[in-house]
Amino acid sequence: MQESTKEQLYEGIYKTIREVLPSDVEILHISLTGSRSKGLESPTSDYDVRVLILNPTESYLLSTFISHIKIKITYGGKDLEGQAWDFYHQFLNLVIEGNEAIIHILKSEYVYTKSKELMQAIWDIYEKCYEPSKVIQASYGLLIHYLKKHLKDPNELHDLRVSKDRKK
């Protein structure tokens, strides 16, 4: 993709997201996630985004802040979907927990960022909180859930667990 085209694309994504978010919410960062962030997109791929937002100060004081907004809109004839997370009440908690979703936000290509220095400081904190074993446990749980949902015979799952245990 040519640089000017990429800049125009990102500016269009930013403006489209800005239009659907409440006007008093400040956008701190937008990351492009999903297949496009991995260079695996096809001509029909949608745009997956993670957005970090900052609510107005008074909304925190009055506990009227928005912690999470689901985004599902169209941009350039393709779906643009993702989530906007409040910086203080959603995002920083995930950073401190070492949640692996943070990697996608901090290390994916970004559409917009208000402060590269802030994002780097958050990465530095995240590295101290991240525990790979948590990611492995979460991934294993998701795999088991997926297999239970999609295997025709529940005994197949048991057979997989038994063969895994035998390799120990």
Side-chain angles (χ1 to χ4, degrees):
M1 183 180 293
Q2 295 174 347
E3 204 57 40
S4 63
T5 305
K6 185 184 273 190
E7 288 174 14
Q8 291 169 347
L9 171 69
Y10 288 0
E11 184 178 330
I13 289 173
Y14 174 86
K15 287 179 179 178
T16 302
I17 291 171
R18 175 72 273 166
E19 289 173 6
V20 299
L21 293 177
S23 60
D24 61 349
V25 166
E26 181 181 353
I27 297 175
L28 296 178
H29 187 84
I30 303 172
S31 285
L32 195 59
T33 60
S35 62
R36 291 182 183 276
S37 72
K38 298 172 185 80
L40 301 173
E41 74 271 12
S42 70
T44 60
S45 291
D46 63 353
Y47 297 99
D48 297 302
V49 294
R50 296 293 179 268
V51 182
L52 303 180
I53 59 173
L54 195 58
N55 284 280
T57 304
E58 63 273 7
S59 72
Y60 295 112
L61 298 172
L62 298 170
S63 293
T64 59
F65 60 88
I66 301 168
S67 65
H68 178 260
I69 301 171
K70 187 168 182 128
I71 299 169
K72 189 162 177 74
I73 50 181
T74 302
Y75 174 73
K78 298 181 184 197
D79 289 338
L80 192 160
E81 45 191 45
Q83 301 170 17
W85 291 339
D86 176 72
F87 184 76
Y88 292 119
H89 287 274
Q90 187 85 24
F91 180 68
L92 287 181
N93 285 329
L94 294 173
V95 169
I96 292 165
E97 291 171 2
N99 188 299
E100 45 90 23
I102 300 305
I103 295 171
H104 299 290
I105 295 169
L106 296 176
K107 292 301 177 183
S108 292
E109 189 167 347
Y110 62 86
V111 171
Y112 168 82
T113 194
K114 183 167 184 167
S115 170
K116 291 179 186 177
E117 294 80 11
L118 173 63
M119 301 315 289
Q120 182 58 51
I122 291 167
W123 178 254
D124 294 343
I125 293 168
Y126 179 73
E127 283 185 307
K128 291 174 175 56
C129 301
Y130 175 72
E131 291 182 42
S133 62
K134 287 183 181 178
V135 176
I136 292 167
Q137 289 170 351
S139 298
Y140 180 72
L142 287 171
L143 175 63
I144 295 301
H145 173 76
Y146 177 82
L147 290 172
K148 283 181 181 177
K149 185 176 179 181
H150 295 285
L151 287 176
K152 294 175 184 159
D153 179 4
N155 290 325
E156 291 179 67
L157 180 59
H158 175 34
D159 294 343
L160 288 172
R161 284 185 175 162
V162 169
S163 63
K164 179 188 126 248
D165 293 339
R166 286 184 187 153
K167 290 182 180 177
K168 286 183 179 180

